[in-house]
Every structure is written in structure tokens, then in C-alpha cells.
Amino acid sequence: MGNSEYILEMRNIRKTFGELVANDNVNLKVRKGTVHSIIGENGAGKSTLMNILTDIHKADSGDILLNGEKVHFKNSLDAARRGIGMIYQEFMLYRDLSVFDNIILGFEKKKWGFIIDRKACRKEIERICSEYSFNIPLDAIVKDLSVAMLQQVEIVKVLYRGADIIIMDEPTSVLTPQGIQGLFRAIRNLVGMGKTIIFISHKLKEVLEISDYITIMNHGRVVAEVLPNEVDEAKLASLMVGRDVILQANKVEPKIGDVLLSVKGLTVKDKDEIVRVKNVDFEIHSGEILGIAGVAGSGQQWIVEALFGLRRPEHGSQIIFDGKDITYVSPREHRLDGIGYVPQDRMGSGVNAKSSLWENSIMGYHIAHGFKNKYLVDTKQANEFTDEIVEQFDVRRQANKDKVAALSGGNIQKMVVGREFLQRNKLLIIEDPTRGIDVGAIEFIWQKIIDLAQEGVAVLLISHELNEVMQLSDTIKVIYNGQLYDGGRHGELTEEEIGLIMLGGNADAK
Amino acid sequence: MLKEILRLAFSVSTFASTFRLACPLLFGSMGGCYNSASGCANLSYEAVMLYSCFFSVLGSYISGSPWVGLLFGMGIGIFISIIFGTMSLVFHSNMIIAAIALNSTAWAVTTLLMVIIFGVRGTVYNERIVSFKPVHFKWMENLGIFNKIFNDNVILVYIAFCLVIIAYIVMYHTPFGLRIRGIGQNEKAAQTAGVDVNKYRWISLILMGAFTGISGTFLTLSGISMFVENMPAGKGFLTMISITIGRFNPLLIFLICLLFGYSQALVLVLGTLSLPTQIIAMIPYVAVIIVLFIDGLKKFKGVADIEV
Ligand SMILES: Nc1ncnc2c1ncn2[C@@H]1O[C@H](COP(=O)(O)OP(=O)(O)OP(=O)(O)O)[C@@H](O)[C@H]1O
Ligand SMILES: [Mg+2]
């Protein structure tokens, strides 16, 4: 082993996809036992750089050095063997397998040459869990677990594979505040034990909190290297985007109209007959932004699914939209009636990653408005619409016929938001609209939401970012344990007061 | 009449033939469950079975040994799988279409070969075609009904039953089985775990071909020693269906194969009564529909519970 002061060095890494230069002579030096953050706009090339490190992509040129020694990986397995572990933006888990099987797959210990030695594997996993204080249910099936738990599973998985350098690509975008604190405790613990963390996030506050070093990328290049105590959020944001960013919504007096959506006694059960939403009532007027804050998993998902016709509410529930009972109608009719939907799970429900950008841009609206001349899809019109989204929402892409899978995470999100925002909808149901989006683009999307409301669109905003709900909403509701509580009007309650309701502080009072 | 039907339905000979009739399904499904678990939509069982029926007869005819017949049957099974794999895994053509192409040419090709090699149509029967001989176990003799059902079968029957256990162990207790299941659920995750996805796809495909080849051999060389045009007559599809409904779990697949075996046995025994043969011949397929229906009912609830 060399005795370099850096555990990892990437030198002059260059990677192109066709015309596009995703990484342009990037240099990165990471010290052992530190948290090194990489931040940058959507499409800046962060994930690409990490994919090169784990050998998912081959660099066009450049070198990787581990402990001062040049290395050439043959494949991802090789990278894993050399101690590089990655936790992906989209989790790499097998839904129907147990946590245990998920962890050992590919790295099974064997007895008699061909049988999996479950005992030995379990001992090793339990050792890791106790050494780094993780508490995960090894025999549970993955699809039954919460996201925060799954993330712990991912971390234990890379540790089990013997990782020394752990890359986390936007690990906090799916976590609750408690989950994030849990993750940070784990990260500090890991670093304390000599592991090295590469941390990618768009949430600058977190980056400042957890990092030892920060590298800033823009358009495929490294533009700055800073220490967290030299900068603040605003400075980081401007370094990233190349201009000053105001992290504040430009809230104006709303123009509230008539009641557009009225929900009465909404009760929803999941497929195991567990009540997820209990007797929820609310109303949204046109021109109003109604925000629902709450800890992830409090029932938000079920409300939205019922509202959009993806799930049947129980008897006695009533959803009236624009004077029409839509309690039991299909998503297709919701679209036709003018209800738009930005789902939380963009890869699962928002897009078809294997289809092209233009196909995804009209998806869901192929029936509702235009895009077809009688029987055939009007590709010209669809392409024009795609261009409109790309232009207005700054989606960084090469061509409309490219597959969505080739876009960076944040750019996919911008495309989905653009698709729903640019239609003449009367009601928009938006879940976590700025998930995985850089600060510059958040500013823009917030402004769009406010503009739409000014034009008379009713907005139901469901976000796990309390700040987002508080900045944008005219009326705030808080969901806790499947029930809705009042969160006051815009600016009426403080962040602490709402935070308390989110944790059940008002449950007794009601 | 009803009494007679019930007596036959629960007679020892019906159960004895249940096991024999389940065997061709068992070989194919125990060898093929990995292929399906890896996420491959392989519908070519019918073709593989038909080719191996013909070639096992040919092998036995040339050599006078059923073992050579078995070798021929497995060999051609593997060969057809390789054709399927070349189309679907190398050239990435649509698997369904590739399988339909194989299935629809199989009948024509085997019939053509039959005319060329044996100079007959319809049925190939020849003294030089030798079947496996039944094996007699002395220790079973005083086990009553058990003896009647299990004793005096060809060796392949016993192998089929051992295969269920082996297949189960391989599926749930070896890295191979775990990785195959992983690939089927999340190919990309398996890749990042360093699993050579393509290699496992090919291995599972070849297993499917080899074992479905045994199924074909069983049809021709377990006693009747002849080849008939379109011999599997749907058994390939039943094999595939039992894998799908059994969700790749060898023990569950085993139960479903037994059910299909039993319904085919009913066709045989009830055929001796004066019932319309068309109705009786429907039994196995009605069984399929009922099983699918019950299987579907379990999943049916609400609109959005489609697992993504
Ligand atoms: N497989 C691919 N084929 C073509 N282009 C790609 C591919 N992967 C990434 N790109 C392009 O490379 C650029 C950099 O993408 P990358 O995913 O590295 O961005 P990122 O910094 O991670 O952004 P985000 O914050 O949105 O996740 C983007 O413009 C993207 O469209
Ligand atoms: Mg990314």
C-alpha cells in the first residue's frame, strides 16, 4: 500500500455521452476518515463521476488512485472488492427477498462448496450491525420496510461487502428529519471508525452540517473546493448556480375563488385492511395552495392515491370536484376532468424510464388534450410540447428521442413537473415537487406554483419539506397517523409549532 | 353413474397414473423454474418437448438403448434452448415471438424428419426402439397401497421425485438460486452486486432445455416406445403454467404438477365409461382455468394494488 495522504484521487476524469461532456477533466482528492461532499446543479455530472468510480461507466480518459496507487477496475465487482461501495439514488434492492438475502446476494459465504452458510453470514452481519450500531430486521421482507430502514439496509450491505469508501448519492432526499439525523449519526460513527464517506446532496444546510470538505461542480467541471466553515448556504448556492439565489418564496396575496375540491369523511384502507386515512375532511378553493405537512408515512400517500382514483376509498367517503362526485372514478377521468398529478415516486409512477422524453412528456395527456389527429399521435405537436417543457423548466437533455433513463435524477423531476404544470389543469396534486432538484431550480418551481395559483389553479401540495409547505401554502394542514390537523393560515404558526403537531402534539387536543 | 365416477376418481390405479403423468411436467418445471425466476418469459416448452420426443426415439432406434435416447433428448433440448437464447439474449428479439416461432415450426420439422428417416406419417413404431424397464423394489412389496402406487415404475419416475428436493435446495439454499431470484427482481441491483447476469441467464436457459428434454424422453421411452405427431399435445404449456402458478417454488410447483397429473389420469380412467370423450378431455384444461382463477382471486383487491 502506498502511504498517500489521500485514500482516493481521481485525476483528469473525462466522460462524454455523444456530444455531451458529462465530466470535463474532473479532479477530486478525498482524505481518509472524512466526509467529502460533492454538490452541483442538476446534470452537473456528480452521479456520472461516481458511476465512473464504481465502474458502472468507463471514463474516456483519466486515472483513479487508491491510497496513491493507480487502479484499473475490470467491473463493478472489482471496484467493490477494492473497498468502494455505493448507495444509489434509487435503491438497489430486491423487493420480495428478505433483508438478509438482500445483503448477502453476490457475496454469499458457502459451506460444502455450494450451500449458502446462513449462520456464518448472519454472524458477520450481526457483527457489523453491533459495531456500527445499526438495528435492522434481518428476516423482514424488503417491500414491507420504510425508506429510512431500507437506507440502513443499503449501508449495512456495502459494509458487508467490505467497503472503506462509501458513496451516498442523495441519501437524504427520501428521509424524514428524524431519518436524516439517524443517518448523520451513522455517518459520524462510520467516519469515527475510519471509513470515508462521499456525500452528494442538494440540501445545502445538511451539506454544511455533515461535511469536512466540499467540492462544487458545474457543467461537468469542478468549479470550487471549500471548507464548510468558510461559507454559508447563500454562498454555496451562488457558487453552485453562478448567480445569487434567494431561498425564499415570493409569496403574494392569493386570489381565492370558489370551492373546487371538497373531501368529506375520507377513509382509506390498504390491501391488508389497515386503516391508513381516517375520516379526513378538507376543501380547496380555486387559486388556493393547500399544503399538507407531515412526517413521511403518516398517510399522505393514501390520501393522494384515493384523490387520484388509484385506490378505492371506504364507504362513506365523498370526493366532490367541480360539482361532480369523483369518489370512485378512474385516473383516466381525473385527467380528463383537469386534475394534474406529480407523484412522489418519479421513477415508479412518474415516468417510464425506458421510453423517450417526448413520449413521457405527453404521457397521461395523450387522451386529455391534443397530441393526436383523430387516431394517430401527432408527433410534431408532442415534440413542440416537449421543447416547451425543456425550455421553460430547463431540462438538460440532448434530444427529445432520448430515453428518460439517460437524464440525471433532477432533470427527470423537472420534466415531470413541467408536464403537469404546462397543461390547462384546474387542480394540481403535487407531492414533493422539488425532490432531488438543485437550489436554483427550486426557486423557479416555487415561483411557478405561485403563478399557477394566481391564475386560479387550485394546488394541493404534499411535501416532506416543512419549509416548502410553510413558504408556499395559503392554508396549512398537518397529517399525523392518518388524520388531518389544522396548521393555520400562511405564517400563522411557527415552524416549531407545526413540527410539534407533526409529531402528534395535537392528537390529544382534538 | 355418479357412484361409478367417484369410485374411479379415487381408485388406486388413478393415483398410480397420477404420478406417472405428473413426471413429464415435473422434469420440465424443476429444470425450468430457474429460467422463469430469472425473469425470462420462455414459452418454448412445447417445442423443446416435441423435438426431444422425436430425438429420444431416434437415439433409442439407432442404439437400442433408452439411455442413448435420453442423451439425444437432452441434447436436442439444450440445442433448442441455445437457439432461443441466441434469439432473445444475443439479438434481443421479442421472447414471445421467438417462442411462438419455435413452437409452430416444431410440429412441421419433426413430422418432416419422421417422413425422411422412418418413411412413415402419424406414428413411428419399431422394434428397435427400446424403452426404460420398470424397476422392482422388493422392500416395497408388503406396503399395500403404497406398493401399488409406487413400485414397478421406470427409473425416471424416481429421479423426478428426488429432483423436487434437489431443485428446492438449489433454489433456496445455494448462491445460484439466490442470484437467479435476485436477477428476476432487479437486474440492475444484481449487476451492482457483481453478478454476471448474462451468465446466469444462459445457465438457467440450458437447464430448462436439458430437463424439458428429459420430459420429452419420458413421454416416448417410459413404456410405449413410439413417437406420435405432436406428441406433447399441450404438456409443454402445462409445464410452463405450473412454474408460473407455483411462483418458482419447487415444492409448490410439485403440488400443481400433481394436480395436473391427476386431472390427466381422470381423463384416462373416465374414458372407460360411456361419457362423451370431448368433455372428459377438457378436464386438465378446466383444471388450469380453475387454478388460475383461484390464484387470481387472492390478488384481487382494489384498483391500485398492482405491485410496481
Ligand atoms: N447513460 C447516459 N446516457 C446519456 N447521457 C447521460 C447518461 N447518464 C447521464 N447522462 C447525462 O450526463 C449529464 C450528467 O448527469 P449526472 O447524472 O451525472 O448529473 P447529476 O449531477 O447527478 O445531476 P442530479 O443532481 O440531477 O442527479 C446529464 O446531462 C445527463 O443527461
Ligand atoms: Mg444524480
Side-chain angles (χ1 to χ4, degrees):
Chain A
M1 284 280 160
N3 44 3
S4 164
E5 110 187 65
Y6 301 106
I7 186 170
L8 167 75
E9 261 185 84
M10 297 181 84
R11 283 191 192 153
N12 296 320
I13 301 289
R14 187 178 166 83
K15 173 74 190 173
T16 52
F17 294 107
E19 301 271 280
L20 183 127
V21 186
N23 281 165
D24 190 0
N25 294 324
V26 173
N27 285 292
L28 181 73
K29 290 178 174 180
V30 180
R31 283 188 164 79
K32 188 173 160 58
T34 63
V35 180
H36 194 122
S37 288
I38 304 177
I39 62 172
E41 282 183 293
N42 294 125
K46 308 177 293 290
S47 297
T48 304
L49 187 66
M50 293 303 114
N51 284 335
I52 287 170
L53 186 51
T54 51
D55 210 67
I56 302 270
H57 292 325
K58 294 259 180 254
D60 301 347
S61 60
D63 297 314
I64 298 174
L65 288 82
L66 286 180
N67 292 307
E69 264 178 68
K70 222 182 246 187
V71 287
H72 293 280
F73 299 135
K74 286 195 288 289
N75 50 41
S76 311
L77 183 58
D78 216 18
R81 288 215 179 100
R82 298 299 295 261
I84 297 175
M86 171 129 174
I87 295 169
Y88 293 86
Q89 230 165 327
E90 328 285 340
F91 290 153
M92 291 294 172
L93 293 169
Y94 316 94
R95 288 172 48 83
D96 293 323
L97 297 185
S98 68
V99 168
F100 179 83
D101 285 345
N102 264 279
I103 292 172
I104 64 169
L105 199 150
F107 294 77
E108 307 88 352
K109 293 183 198 304
K110 287 178 283 188
K111 59 184 176 192
W112 311 326
F114 66 101
I115 299 280
I116 299 173
D117 189 347
R118 290 214 146 81
K119 238 192 221 142
C121 296
R122 187 172 285 264
K123 227 164 114 191
E124 173 70 9
I125 298 173
E126 279 166 356
R127 186 188 63 75
I128 292 168
C129 285
S130 71
E131 191 172 336
Y132 298 97
S133 340
F134 288 106
N135 192 3
I136 53 177
L138 291 184
D139 299 308
I141 301 295
V142 156
K143 68 173 171 211
D144 298 333
L145 297 181
S146 72
V147 199
M149 196 54 97
L150 294 183
Q151 193 154 52
Q152 293 202 16
V153 173
E154 285 279 18
I155 299 175
V156 173
K157 189 168 89 182
V158 296
L159 289 172
Y160 174 82
R161 292 179 187 175
D164 287 319
I165 302 173
I166 302 175
I167 305 162
M168 300 186 180
D169 197 350
E170 295 187 37
T172 57
S173 61
V174 289
L175 294 182
T176 60
Q178 294 90 319
I180 292 171
Q181 285 317 314
L183 175 70
F184 282 5
R185 267 197 305 281
I187 289 180
R188 292 200 183 94
N189 224 329
L190 289 166
V191 169
M193 312 279 283
K195 304 280 178 193
T196 306
I197 309 280
I198 298 179
F199 184 84
I200 298 176
S201 173
H202 287 293
K203 300 188 197 166
L204 303 178
K205 208 192 263 169
E206 291 168 5
V207 170
L208 287 171
E209 182 183 340
I210 195 76
S211 318
D212 297 309
Y213 299 92
I214 303 172
T215 294
I216 301 160
M217 288 181 74
N218 194 338
H219 286 100
R221 294 163 191 265
V222 171
V223 291
E225 301 256 10
V226 294
L227 297 174
N229 53 14
E230 298 171 348
V231 287
D232 58 11
E233 256 183 272
K235 175 81 178 132
L236 269 188
S238 69
L239 278 172
M240 229 172 94
V241 188
R243 63 179 164 85
D244 283 338
V245 180
I246 312 145
L247 300 159
Q248 188 79 32
N250 175 26
K251 191 78 186 142
V252 288
E253 194 52 41
K255 299 191 185 120
I256 307 260
D258 298 332
V259 172
L260 188 68
L261 177 81
S262 131
V263 176
K264 282 203 188 76
L266 181 67
T267 302
V268 186
K269 286 184 184 167
D270 68 9
K271 68 169 190 286
D272 301 320
E273 296 291 311
I274 297 168
V275 179
R276 296 295 187 162
V277 177
K278 277 177 242 153
N279 211 1
V280 160
D281 301 317
F282 64 89
E283 279 179 348
I284 308 180
H285 304 75
S286 49
E288 180 186 30
I289 303 175
L290 182 120
I292 299 184
V295 174
S298 302
Q300 293 95 327
Q301 175 202 349
W302 313 93
I303 292 193
V304 172
E305 285 184 0
L307 284 185
F308 203 64
L310 289 164
R311 183 174 298 275
R312 241 164 210 285
E314 297 302 306
H315 277 294
S317 311
Q318 195 184 43
I319 304 171
I320 309 270
F321 173 72
D322 213 3
K324 181 178 157 197
D325 189 331
I326 58 161
T327 318
Y328 296 111
V329 306
S330 68
R332 180 188 163 93
E333 281 174 72
H334 284 75
R335 292 272 190 210
L336 290 168
D337 285 344
I339 302 181
Y341 175 40
V342 177
Q344 199 219 356
D345 177 9
R346 63 171 169 249
M347 295 315 269
S349 339
V351 295
N352 175 1
K354 291 191 178 128
S355 291
S356 68
L357 189 59
W358 75 262
E359 285 170 312
N360 272 287
S361 298
I362 61 168
M363 216 168 265
Y365 294 100
H366 55 289
I367 42 165
H369 332 267
F371 304 132
K372 63 175 180 184
N373 33 26
K374 208 136 191 194
Y375 301 112
L376 301 176
V377 173
D378 184 344
T379 44
K380 183 162 165 279
Q381 204 184 349
N383 265 305
E384 279 167 10
F385 181 65
T386 311
D387 288 338
E388 204 179 322
I389 298 179
V390 165
E391 215 159 283
Q392 287 205 29
F393 286 79
D394 187 27
V395 179
R396 311 248 166 109
R397 61 94 171 93
Q398 292 193 64
N400 288 348
K401 63 178 189 344
D402 286 349
K403 299 224 183 327
V404 160
L407 262 56
S408 81
N411 279 309
I412 297 174
Q413 180 73 19
K414 288 196 267 183
M415 189 226 95
V416 174
V417 170
R419 174 180 76 199
E420 305 297 328
F421 280 22
L422 287 179
Q423 293 292 338
R424 272 155 284 130
N425 282 318
K426 292 185 220 151
L427 170 69
L428 278 175
I429 302 173
I430 0 187
E431 279 184 277
D432 284 332
T434 54
R435 177 176 164 201
I437 286 187
D438 68 57
V439 280
I442 289 177
E443 190 185 26
F444 171 78
I445 286 181
W446 280 3
Q447 189 56 47
K448 272 279 170 202
I449 294 175
I450 291 170
D451 291 348
L452 281 171
Q454 284 291 304
E455 289 162 22
V457 176
V459 178
L460 175 62
L461 170 71
I462 292 151
S463 176
H464 297 100
E465 294 288 327
L466 179 51
N467 179 37
E468 187 164 70
V469 173
M470 292 189 59
Q471 296 242 7
L472 294 176
S473 314
D474 302 308
T475 313
I476 299 170
K477 299 274 178 197
V478 182
I479 186 164
Y480 170 73
N481 202 10
Q483 282 178 295
L484 269 194
Y485 298 93
D486 200 16
R489 306 206 53 80
H490 182 75
E492 203 176 310
L493 298 184
T494 65
E495 195 165 334
E496 283 70 36
E497 284 168 320
I498 294 181
L500 211 61
I501 309 176
M502 278 168 63
L503 297 175
N506 263 21
D508 312 322
K510 194 174 173 181
Chain B
M1 187 64 176
L2 188 65
K3 222 172 134 193
E4 185 66 357
I5 292 180
L6 285 177
R7 194 187 62 75
L8 282 173
F10 295 101
S11 67
V12 173
S13 67
T14 310
F15 288 116
S17 32
T18 294
F19 288 103
R20 270 191 297 278
L21 288 165
C23 275
L25 307 188
L26 275 179
F27 281 110
S29 55
M30 292 305 143
C33 57
Y34 306 103
N35 187 228
S36 304
S38 78
C40 174
N42 189 344
L43 308 182
S44 66
Y45 287 85
E46 192 74 11
V48 174
M49 228 182 251
L50 179 53
Y51 278 112
S52 59
C53 281
F54 181 81
F55 279 85
S56 59
V57 161
L58 183 65
S60 181
Y61 172 79
I62 293 172
S63 66
S65 154
W67 291 102
V68 175
L70 178 65
L71 226 62
F72 269 56
M74 292 174 77
I76 190 73
I78 293 174
F79 180 73
I80 302 295
S81 292
I82 291 177
I83 295 182
F84 180 78
T86 312
M87 289 196 275
S88 63
L89 298 178
V90 180
F91 299 123
H92 298 284
S93 59
N94 184 306
M95 291 191 196
I96 312 265
I97 295 174
I100 290 176
L102 284 175
N103 286 337
S104 26
T105 45
W107 192 339
V109 172
T110 48
T111 308
L112 181 66
L113 287 174
M114 196 163 139
V115 174
I116 295 174
I117 298 173
F118 295 100
V120 290
R121 285 214 61 161
T123 309
V124 178
Y125 182 78
N126 191 302
E127 263 130 55
R128 285 163 63 188
I129 304 168
V130 182
S131 275
F132 287 96
K133 299 273 172 299
V135 219
H136 183 78
F137 293 99
K138 265 213 141 46
W139 59 271
M140 277 193 195
E141 274 171 11
N142 38 21
L143 292 178
I145 290 182
F146 186 79
N147 180 48
K148 283 201 189 123
I149 296 179
F150 290 103
N151 210 345
D152 298 307
N153 279 308
V154 295
I155 183 82
L156 291 180
V157 173
Y158 304 105
I159 295 178
F161 286 89
C162 299
L163 204 59
V164 176
I165 314 284
I166 296 173
Y168 181 81
I169 293 174
V170 170
M171 184 65 96
Y172 293 105
H173 292 282
T174 64
F176 176 79
L178 179 60
R179 290 173 185 193
I180 284 280
R181 283 181 292 142
I183 291 171
Q185 287 180 34
N186 189 345
E187 185 181 330
K188 224 168 139 198
Q191 245 159 18
T192 61
V195 175
D196 185 344
V197 173
N198 233 2
K199 182 178 102 186
Y200 282 84
R201 286 243 156 94
W202 272 107
I203 294 176
S204 70
L205 188 60
I206 284 172
L207 279 178
M208 175 265 167
F211 282 87
T212 310
I214 306 181
S215 295
T217 311
F218 187 91
L219 289 178
T220 54
L221 300 183
S222 64
I224 57 169
S225 313
M226 59 181 191
F227 174 78
V228 185
E229 250 181 62
N230 190 31
M231 197 157 181
K235 292 200 173 61
F237 288 112
L238 286 183
T239 306
M240 194 192 75
I241 292 166
S242 45
I243 296 174
T244 314
I245 301 177
R247 301 224 175 71
F248 328 132
N249 178 340
L251 298 185
L252 236 92
I253 296 173
F254 174 59
L255 291 181
I256 291 163
C257 288
L258 284 185
L259 178 73
F260 288 155
Y262 180 71
S263 59
Q264 288 173 6
L266 280 185
V267 175
L268 293 183
V269 295
L270 297 185
T272 58
L273 300 177
S274 57
L275 289 168
T277 49
Q278 289 85 349
I279 291 193
I280 296 173
M282 273 167 46
I283 295 175
Y285 306 100
V286 173
V288 172
I289 293 172
I290 293 174
V291 169
L292 280 176
F293 190 75
I294 296 172
D295 188 57
L297 274 187
K298 279 188 302 194
K299 289 186 226 149
F300 190 78
K301 164 81 169 82
V303 208
D305 283 327
I306 308 153
E307 302 289 339
V308 206

